[in-house]
Structures are given as structure tokens and as C-alpha cells.
Amino acid sequence: PDAVEKNAAGAILKAIQDKGLRVIGLKMLHLSEQQARGFYAVHKARPFYADLVKFMTSGPVVVVALEGDGAIARWRELMGPTDSTKAPKGTIRGDWGTDVERNAAHGSDAAETARVEIAYWFNATEMQAPVEALP
């Protein structure tokens, strides 16, 4: 929500494409509490969970599925460290994030996580490639 609020979605999409990654799924959503709780359920026992859900439902978000050689590693490098105050300029979080919570971007950490997360937001008709074909 912070990146959308800052009107940075277009610049972030350009940075993604400039990095050589291809957008194969894209939509803007305003998450319900149920959607946010489901997506971030892995963090349910963590002390920041309630704040995360509140933040992620505070405004619209842009969800994106990416494709490319080494897409996960390349996207994580482009995002920068989770704590935006420690992220270098030229990264998504360094340029548009504020802190560890308002960090302008989320990224899957592994291929299996990516499959689950992409399937959470997109069905096969909304993708340029079927989910089972994704890395």
C-alpha cells in the first residue's frame, strides 16, 4: 500500500522490466482482512502479524507475477533488504520504502513459495503462463 500511496507502482514496474524480468500477471487490489490474513498466515504467531494485516488492508496494492532466468534471486536483489533504512539507493526498498514495515515490496523466497503465492492471487486465465509452468 505504501508504494501505491506514493504513486510509485509505474516506476517499480519499469525497474522490474529494466532488470530484464517479464511481467506475466498484474492486478491492483484492495485486500480484505481475510485475504491479508490468509496470505500472511505464515507469520500468524509473530508479534507483528496484526500490524502487518492492518497495514496491508490500508490501501490498494499491486500484485505482480514475474518470469525470467533466476527471477526470484534477481527480484530479491532489486528489492533490497527488508528494512528500507538499510537498503541501498537503486533498489525498490531503498528508493521507495520507509522502514521495515513500509518497505514498498514483497517477494517470494523460493520457487515453491512463489508457486503458492502466485496461485493465491492469480488463476490460470489471468496469467501469460500457467502457474504450474512457473519456476
Side-chain angles (χ1 to χ4, degrees):
D2 54 324
V4 172
E5 182 181 329
K6 292 176 182 177
N7 203 28
I12 292 170
L13 288 168
K14 182 177 181 335
I16 288 167
Q17 292 173 323
D18 288 350
K19 187 73 172 178
L21 296 169
R22 189 169 151 243
V23 174
I24 59 170
L26 172 74
K27 62 171 82 170
M28 181 180 272
L29 307 166
H30 194 136
L31 305 185
S32 68
E33 185 174 332
Q34 180 180 357
Q35 286 172 313
R37 287 187 180 282
F39 187 75
Y40 291 105
V42 67
H43 299 302
K44 190 174 185 177
R46 312 234 8 221
F48 59 82
Y49 178 71
D51 287 339
L52 176 61
V53 169
K54 184 176 179 181
F55 170 61
M56 291 305 297
T57 58
S58 68
V61 299
V62 175
V63 294
V64 181
L66 305 174
E67 174 181 77
D69 291 335
I72 293 169
R74 289 166 59 199
W75 171 235
R76 293 185 69 78
E77 179 184 334
L78 178 60
M79 279 192 305
T82 303
D83 185 345
S84 295
T85 64
K86 297 176 182 171
K89 290 297 177 193
T91 65
I92 303 300
R93 292 170 172 161
D95 291 348
W96 294 288
T98 303
D99 55 35
V100 72
E101 285 185 353
R102 299 178 67 85
N103 62 16
H106 167 83
S108 303
D109 59 1
E112 185 53 38
T113 309
R115 280 191 217 40
V116 170
E117 292 182 348
I118 290 168
Y120 194 88
W121 300 117
F122 298 98
N123 65 49
T125 65
E126 298 171 320
M127 304 283 294
Q128 288 187 3
V131 172
E132 60 274 1
L134 297 175

